[in-house]
Amino acid sequence: PENITVQELSNRMAVRVADIIKFMMRQGQMMKQSDELDADTAELIATEFGHTVKRVAESDVEEGLAGDIVDSDENLEPRPPVVTIMGHVDHGKTSLLDALRQTDVVSGEAGGITQHIGAYQVRVASGQRVTFLDTPGHAAFSAMRARGAQVTDIVVLVVAADDGVMPQTVEAIQHAKASGVPIIVAINKMDKQGANPDKVLSELTQHEVIVEQFGGDVQVVKVSALKKEGLEELVEQILLQAEVLNLRANPDRPAEAVVIESKLDKGRGTVATVLVQMGTLKRGDIVVVGAQIGRIRAITNERGQQLQNAGPSEPVEIMGLEGVPEPGNVLNVVENENRAREVADYRARAKKQRTTGIKSTGTSLESMMAK
Ligand code: GTP
Ligand code: MG
């Protein structure tokens, strides 16, 4: 992966391709502009053309970020499942989320929700917790997946009993399958005239979602978000599935989180909803998020409560980022501001290079141009 093409090297050194090819010919090697050079050869050429080579590997700059710390088994603790509700337009995703939110045993009668933060946690009677993501449509989910951000452990696929499998249902199935995430089917609107759950099940079969009664392993729960029926069973199925997945994380390490949504708030600056994936995020932490840096000034949960920290699977709203990150960006806690800037600058450069059309082959010769 440390290779660079002749063309790319020529771009970076502002030297003609022909001159590089000529030089290589003198070394006894015939090359064309699309050929790849390994890092040693590229360095040799660059030195020959008067450049000082400083190899900056992604692994150097990004080294030591949370992903590099390998957790040993005894550091891992159970974490709540992260569940994304998906399905076709109007099949009742939002209604179901709202209904599930009201099953929270802690928040009390009124629901206790003071603000919408795009993600929330429900505590069930057993003391277990489930994190629900209110993904703003499939586009964001795809964007996250494209960036390799695996945010969800389980997909709850909502299908309206009176409407059946529709295009976005199929899309959601494909997302879940591509991510390797198990599906739980929630057949919604069971209260409606014309509800036909059997039709839904056979339609699902055509898309290779095989439910238990047809010999598969996909669980189905019939619900009515409107009448608040079947919700406990749905939560139960989610917890069962979570148990099978054996979800664990080390809370005792610098946090890594993923951005769910973010915006610029007039009074408060950048406000981002993040889902902590490992470690514990603390107030005062210095972070790098994509090409942005920041210091965590406030951590707020969906009830509007100020927290000192947030652990694995906790969705929280944070303040203190200097710029607005994109959904799917990964947030890492780093030791100090210099380190944050180093990583952010590197990422900004890498991004600029990508957008100016210089194809990155994952090369480690980023700053070869330093004269
Ligand atoms: P989008 O976000 O637009 O994709 O829709 P959604 O999937 O979030 O659906 P939403 O929860 O907004 O519900 C769509 C409509 O279906 C609303 O009018 C709801 O009141 C209605 N609805 C949702 N769940 C039920 C249900 O269980 N029974 C009945 N009868 N209506 C429901
Ligand atoms: Mg909705």
Side-chain angles (χ1 to χ4, degrees):
E2 302 227 335
N3 290 350
I4 181 171
T5 64
V6 171
Q7 176 68 63
E8 204 174 328
L9 184 62
S10 121
N11 292 342
R12 292 201 191 168
M13 298 194 304
V15 161
R16 295 189 318 153
V17 170
D19 291 339
I20 297 178
I21 292 177
K22 234 183 273 171
F23 169 76
M24 287 308 289
M25 219 144 62
R26 285 203 302 276
Q27 311 299 308
Q29 237 184 307
M30 298 296 290
M31 301 213 92
K32 47 185 194 312
Q33 85 187 49
S34 60
D35 281 347
E36 288 198 346
L37 304 159
D38 61 37
D40 288 337
T41 310
E43 182 168 346
L44 175 78
I45 297 169
T47 310
E48 181 67 24
F49 284 89
H51 291 273
T52 308
V53 176
K54 188 175 149 220
R55 292 195 194 182
V56 182
E58 181 142 358
S59 55
D60 287 346
V61 177
E62 309 247 351
E63 199 164 310
L65 294 183
D68 277 2
I69 307 171
V70 179
D71 292 312
S72 61
D73 206 55
E74 71 257 28
N75 295 329
L76 297 174
E77 289 177 22
R79 63 168 180 84
V82 178
V83 177
T84 305
I85 305 224
M86 302 187 84
H88 193 70
V89 182
D90 273 355
H91 279 197
K93 299 177 293 292
T94 303
S95 305
L96 189 58
L97 275 161
D98 288 346
L100 284 163
R101 185 143 45 185
Q102 284 162 27
T103 64
D104 192 309
V105 292
V106 180
S107 64
E109 298 283 285
I113 306 299
T114 56
Q115 55 184 322
H116 168 87
I117 72 163
Y120 63 86
Q121 239 178 24
V122 167
R123 278 135 285 237
V124 293
S126 59
Q128 286 162 292
R129 294 174 297 163
V130 179
T131 299
F132 288 100
L133 290 190
D134 190 355
T135 45
H138 296 170
F141 194 79
S142 319
M144 285 188 202
R145 193 155 59 76
R147 293 196 183 96
Q150 180 84 330
V151 285
T152 192
D153 299 308
I154 296 166
V155 164
V156 167
L157 183 67
V158 180
V159 189
D162 62 335
D163 202 24
V165 170
M166 298 299 280
Q168 277 178 272
T169 316
V170 177
E171 222 175 88
I173 293 169
Q174 284 161 356
H175 281 312
K177 292 205 166 185
S179 317
V181 175
I183 294 172
I184 295 172
V185 174
I187 302 184
N188 190 32
K189 307 199 187 184
M190 283 301 292
D191 60 285
K192 273 187 108 172
Q193 286 278 324
N196 190 348
D198 290 334
K199 179 170 160 274
V200 173
L201 295 186
S202 66
E203 285 171 356
L204 285 170
T205 305
Q206 290 163 27
H207 296 278
E208 275 143 62
V209 176
I210 321 289
V211 302
E212 230 171 23
Q213 74 179 79
F214 292 164
D217 57 4
V218 175
Q219 299 298 323
V220 181
V221 185
K222 293 175 188 164
V223 301
S224 165
L226 190 73
K227 302 259 195 256
K228 306 200 187 338
E229 282 163 7
L231 301 178
E232 274 173 35
E233 200 195 332
L234 179 57
V235 172
E236 207 171 289
Q237 286 302 339
I238 289 168
L239 291 171
L240 275 174
Q241 182 63 255
E243 214 173 288
V244 172
L245 294 172
N246 188 26
L247 304 167
R248 298 186 305 161
N250 177 5
D252 190 23
R253 54 177 284 170
E256 183 168 297
V258 62
V259 176
I260 304 299
E261 59 187 20
S262 65
K263 59 172 193 268
L264 191 61
D265 184 287
K266 265 190 196 146
R268 299 187 295 162
T270 298
V271 180
T273 300
V274 301
L275 173 71
V276 178
Q277 297 195 289
M278 41 180 135
T280 297
L281 186 65
K282 304 186 181 76
R283 262 172 74 170
D285 274 349
I286 294 171
V287 300
V288 55
V289 192
Q292 314 287 350
I293 73 166
R295 178 190 287 270
I296 306 296
R297 278 194 288 122
I299 302 177
T300 314
N301 68 9
E302 73 273 7
R303 285 145 224 282
Q305 292 165 327
Q306 296 294 317
L307 309 177
Q308 289 303 316
N309 50 58
S313 295
E314 266 191 81
V316 287
E317 197 175 77
I318 55 167
M319 279 164 53
L321 301 181
E322 286 186 2
V324 181
E326 291 164 43
N329 276 165
V330 173
L331 174 149
N332 281 114
V333 173
V334 292
E335 53 272 29
N336 57 47
E337 205 177 309
N338 282 345
R339 179 81 176 105
R341 284 205 193 283
E342 182 190 25
V343 178
D345 287 350
Y346 169 80
R347 288 177 177 172
R349 268 203 312 277
K351 187 177 176 187
K352 196 168 156 204
Q353 215 160 56
R354 280 197 300 275
T355 53
T356 50
I358 300 174
K359 256 200 278 156
S360 168
T361 53
T363 177
S364 60
L365 299 164
E366 287 295 349
S367 52
M368 172 156 269
M369 292 311 298
K371 272 249 186 189

